[in-house]
Amino acid sequence: MTRTIEVVINGVPYRHEVEPRLLLVHYLRDVVGLTGTHIGCETGLCGACTVLLNGAAVKSCTLFAVQADGATITTIEGLAGDGRLHPIQEGFWQKHGLQCGYCTPGMILAAYQLLSRTLDPSEEEIRRGIEGNLCRCTGYQHIIEAIRYAAEKMRAARGG
Ligand code: FES
Ligand code: FES
């Protein structure tokens, strides 16, 4: 038995029939075709599958697609606008915040949630903001610098 869900993803409305057991991460990747959301552990530990659900960072392997019915979702594909990188993406680029890139979409969306709460986070707040996201490559310091870079840039754009 399938159920109909309606969601808005990166500003685009979608309506699909889905199996009730379909995980949100599989829906995004396999049904909608947005493969920028990665799958790591599928058990809620690594954060590779992080997306924004109604503005809050969630691990999309921990939700069924039917639980997102009626929600607004942002994936990594929805962050850049007008052909320009989002400041967080730019920060990861400028500060070498990624190596293999597997964790990066989830890291960036976790950082997005953090910076939507404060544009002047301390190092500890940044570390706490990404504590649910694992990276096996970078040692985290470059990621923290990338988020700091983005915060500065976003503060400047806001006017200080
Ligand atoms: S794939 Fe979802 S937390 Fe690891
Ligand atoms: S850049 Fe490789 S896992 Fe983070």
Side-chain angles (χ1 to χ4, degrees):
M1 193 185 68
T2 58
R3 275 198 32 202
T4 304
I5 62 167
E6 293 186 25
V7 288
V8 175
I9 307 173
N10 303 331
V12 180
Y14 293 89
R15 187 172 207 270
H16 286 113
E17 297 281 324
V18 297
E19 292 283 342
R21 66 182 171 183
L22 181 71
L23 292 177
L24 180 57
V25 66
H26 291 143
Y27 171 71
L28 292 170
R29 290 176 55 86
D30 302 338
V31 179
V32 186
L34 294 171
T35 54
T37 303
H38 291 162
I39 302 173
C41 63
E42 256 186 322
T43 52
L45 294 172
C46 73
C49 63
T50 303
V51 299
L52 301 176
L53 186 82
N54 295 329
V58 298
K59 294 175 177 174
S60 59
C61 74
T62 64
L63 291 168
F64 294 114
V66 291
Q67 292 176 290
D69 186 23
T72 297
I73 297 170
T74 304
T75 69
I76 192 67
E77 289 91 343
L79 228 52
D82 302 328
R84 298 178 59 188
L85 293 179
H86 186 279
I88 305 174
Q89 294 171 307
E90 199 185 304
F92 274 70
W93 174 269
Q94 292 292 344
K95 297 293 177 183
H96 311 289
L98 66 146
Q99 286 179 26
C100 80
Y102 206 83
C103 69
T104 312
M107 281 287 181
I108 287 178
L109 290 168
Y112 187 100
Q113 173 175 262
L114 171 71
L115 297 183
S116 67
R117 293 175 179 166
T118 173
L119 284 184
D120 194 14
S122 64
E123 173 156 345
E124 203 196 322
E125 285 172 319
I126 294 175
R127 286 184 183 274
R128 226 180 299 126
I130 58 168
E131 70 186 358
N133 295 68
L134 303 180
C135 176
R136 65 182 179 185
C137 305
T138 64
Y140 297 98
Q141 200 54 43
H142 289 291
I143 292 175
I144 290 162
E145 283 161 24
I147 296 171
R148 230 190 243 130
Y149 173 103
E152 271 172 39
K153 201 136 192 210
M154 290 164 77
R155 269 203 316 271
R158 194 190 58 180

